[in-house]
């Protein structure tokens, strides 16, 4: 079965061709970093326009790389939300056009389900497991019992972890997206030079909060400029900040496993590309005799392979899903669940 996946929820125009749920034939991404970086964040209108410019070229390239033709595709899977509505509409309408034109089924996919199931591109992990979806817009802990069976255990009460990476990078003068930049400069920093605060939100809570940490870094940078505190390098600040985020994420994953009595963990979403997070979670899981799984970094950040994969499993498990209709619509906000 050949699935064409389409992802246009934010600032990446992406298309992928996936065979039988786990053989990836192509994974094409046109990222818009150059368009948005001078504004310090994503400009929704520019994102939508760029998707319109790129979507046909990216689909064409994904088919060409996979060495298949559009008529060979059996199912089209597209991100229907959450995301920027103007961006989502481009992918959803392109997918509807293809579905109608070829008379093939269409499957709307929740972007978070795409991140969550990205692990199945490379690994047939057994259910149940704990999943942390950690990206620019979400920091969610789930108990995953099966395809479509997700129970939220905790989420951020303010900033997402990726958002806090981006904001701290901006404070240090780096362009969007800041996560990879912080990781890079943190490698030459001393994470113990200054201890930034960790928010655990009370005993047993599986929620997150990163806005206090962000403010603390901001105050520290201001004090540094005014000579009111020790003169730490940007590298040390990045390393101290990254360690604070990573420690809380890792700690809550272990807590979630203990609470739910589970021993398998999947960490996914853009921030899961972070090497320090992967290393810390892996070592915490090893200590507790748990198994930790991470998609390769290229499948952690936004991509269409994960959407094709989630669409494939949704179609196999729920062929009559409401999302499998031509009157499918994009939705800016949606929670993860059986009915999207
Ligand atoms: O999943 P994603 O590509 O898009 C969303 O769904 O949000 O995640 C993007 C987020 C951004 O905040 C970006 O700074 C962060 O993931 N990110 C990272 C790294 N790579 C991407 N954060 C920390 N370390 C990284 N290596
Ligand atoms: Zn994402």
């Amino acid at each position: 079965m050949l699935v064409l996946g389409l992802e246009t929820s934010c600032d990446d125009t992406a298309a992928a061709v996936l065979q039988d749920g786990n053989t990836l034939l192509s994974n094409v991404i046109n990222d818009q970093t150059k368009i948005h970086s001078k504004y310090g964040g994503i400009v929704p209108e520019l994102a939508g326009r760029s998707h319109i410019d790129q979507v046909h070229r990216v689909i064409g390239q994904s088919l060409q790389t996979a060495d298949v033709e559009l008529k060979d595709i059996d199912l089209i899977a597209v991100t229907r939300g959450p995301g920027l509505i103007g961006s989502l509409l481009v992918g959803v309408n392109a997918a509807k056009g293809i579905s109608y034109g070829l008379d093939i089924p269409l499957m709307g996919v929740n972007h978070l389900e795409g991140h969550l199931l990205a692990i199945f591109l490379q690994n047939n992990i057994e259910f149940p497991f704990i999943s942390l979806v950690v990206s620019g817009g979400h920091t969610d802990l789930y108990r995953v019992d099966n395809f479509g069976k997700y129970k939220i255990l905790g989420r951020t009460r303010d900033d997402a972890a990726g958002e806090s990476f981006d904001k701290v990078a901006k404070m240090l003068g780096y362009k969007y997206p800041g996560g990879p930049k912080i990781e890079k400069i943190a490698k030459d920093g001393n994470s113990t030079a200054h201890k930034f605060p960790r928010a655990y939100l009370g005993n047993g809570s599986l929620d997150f909060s990163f806005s206090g940490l962000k403010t603390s870094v901001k105050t520290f940078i201001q004090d540094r400029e005014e000579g009111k505190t020790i003169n730490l390098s940007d590298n040390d600040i990045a390393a101290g900040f990254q360690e604070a985020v990573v420690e809380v994420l890792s700690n809550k994953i272990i807590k979630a496993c203990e609470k739910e009595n589970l021993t398998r963990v999947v960490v996914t979403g853009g921030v899961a590309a972070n090497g320090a997070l992967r290393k810390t979670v892996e070592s915490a899981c090893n200590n507790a005799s748990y198994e930790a799984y991470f998609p390769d970094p290229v499948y952690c950040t936004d991509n269409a392979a994960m959407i094709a994969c989630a669409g494939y499993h949704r179609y196999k498990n729920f062929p009559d899903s409401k999302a499998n209709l031509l009157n499918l619509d994009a939705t800016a906000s949606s929670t993860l669940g059986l009915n999207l």
Side-chain angles (χ1 to χ4, degrees):
M1 180 178 193
L2 282 183
V3 183
L4 173 66
L6 264 185
E7 154 65 37
T8 66
S9 69
C10 193
D11 60 337
D12 293 299
T13 316
V17 178
L18 183 69
Q19 188 171 26
D20 301 330
N22 55 14
T23 306
L24 191 59
L25 303 183
S26 66
N27 188 32
V28 179
I29 302 177
N30 178 74
D31 97 276
Q32 304 177 355
T33 308
K34 271 200 182 133
I35 295 174
H36 303 289
S37 63
K38 60 174 174 278
Y39 301 102
I42 295 160
V43 184
E45 181 61 25
L46 295 182
R49 284 189 216 172
S50 174
H51 286 307
I52 293 171
D53 282 346
Q54 296 295 328
V55 72
H56 290 105
R57 185 187 67 77
V58 170
I59 292 172
Q61 202 181 323
S62 75
L63 295 169
Q64 202 180 4
T65 309
D67 200 16
V68 299
E69 291 182 37
L70 200 50
K71 65 174 174 44
D72 301 326
I73 298 296
D74 300 300
L75 169 74
I76 175 145
V78 62
T79 308
R80 66 172 300 221
L84 302 171
I85 195 71
S87 293
L88 289 162
L89 280 169
V90 178
V92 166
N93 284 307
K96 279 182 174 181
I98 296 170
S99 163
Y100 185 70
L102 294 181
D103 196 20
I104 55 169
L106 167 71
M107 186 54 79
V109 173
N110 182 303
H111 182 79
L112 297 172
E113 187 174 38
H115 277 304
L116 205 151
L117 299 183
I119 194 68
F120 288 94
L121 286 166
Q122 298 174 291
N123 212 311
N124 253 336
I125 175 173
E126 251 178 78
F127 296 106
F129 56 85
I130 293 292
S131 179
L132 175 71
V133 181
V134 63
S135 70
H138 293 84
T139 307
D140 294 348
L141 258 176
Y142 295 96
R143 175 191 169 102
V144 181
D145 282 297
N146 210 329
F147 294 113
K149 209 155 176 238
Y150 315 115
K151 180 180 158 204
I152 183 89
L153 303 173
R155 56 165 48 120
T156 184
R157 294 186 188 172
D158 39 60
D159 293 346
E163 191 181 353
S164 73
F165 268 92
D166 295 333
K167 286 178 176 167
V168 165
K170 197 171 172 188
M171 289 173 207
L172 293 172
Y174 298 110
K175 289 178 179 168
Y176 178 88
K181 192 75 204 176
I182 292 284
E183 176 175 14
K184 188 161 179 247
I185 65 169
K187 288 197 173 112
D188 296 319
N190 173 6
S191 62
T192 57
H194 179 78
K195 184 153 180 160
F196 288 106
R198 281 89 164 130
Y200 283 104
L201 307 172
N203 238 350
S205 170
L206 293 177
D207 280 347
F208 303 91
S209 167
F210 296 106
S211 69
L213 169 62
K214 175 190 68 186
T215 308
S216 162
V217 175
K218 191 174 179 194
T219 310
F220 191 88
I221 293 171
Q222 270 166 2
D223 286 352
R224 182 180 69 166
E225 275 159 19
E226 292 164 17
K228 290 189 201 156
T229 186
I230 42 168
N231 191 13
L232 291 192
S233 65
D234 286 359
N235 305 73
D236 291 342
I237 294 174
F241 158 77
Q242 179 175 268
E243 190 176 273
V245 175
V246 162
E247 210 175 279
V248 173
L249 293 176
S250 174
N251 189 295
K252 300 256 174 179
I253 287 172
I254 300 297
K255 257 197 193 137
C257 287
E258 287 165 359
K259 253 188 174 173
E260 297 294 318
N261 205 17
L262 297 182
T263 58
R264 279 180 294 272
V265 167
V266 176
V267 187
T268 183
V271 183
N274 184 285
L277 176 63
R278 295 167 88 97
K279 218 167 135 189
T280 305
V281 171
E282 202 148 64
S283 127
C285 285
N286 273 343
N287 287 343
S289 298
Y290 299 159
E291 294 162 35
Y293 299 85
F294 310 84
D296 280 356
V298 67
Y299 307 124
C300 287
T301 46
D302 285 352
N303 66 87
M306 68 183 195
I307 302 303
C309 183
Y312 171 85
H313 289 292
R314 185 159 275 276
Y315 188 71
K316 286 272 161 186
N317 289 284
F318 312 105
D320 300 324
S321 160
K322 272 200 298 189
N324 178 22
L325 292 172
L326 261 188
N327 64 3
L328 168 77
D329 209 353
T331 163
S333 58
S334 65
T335 48
L336 193 51
L338 195 53
N339 297 316
L340 293 174

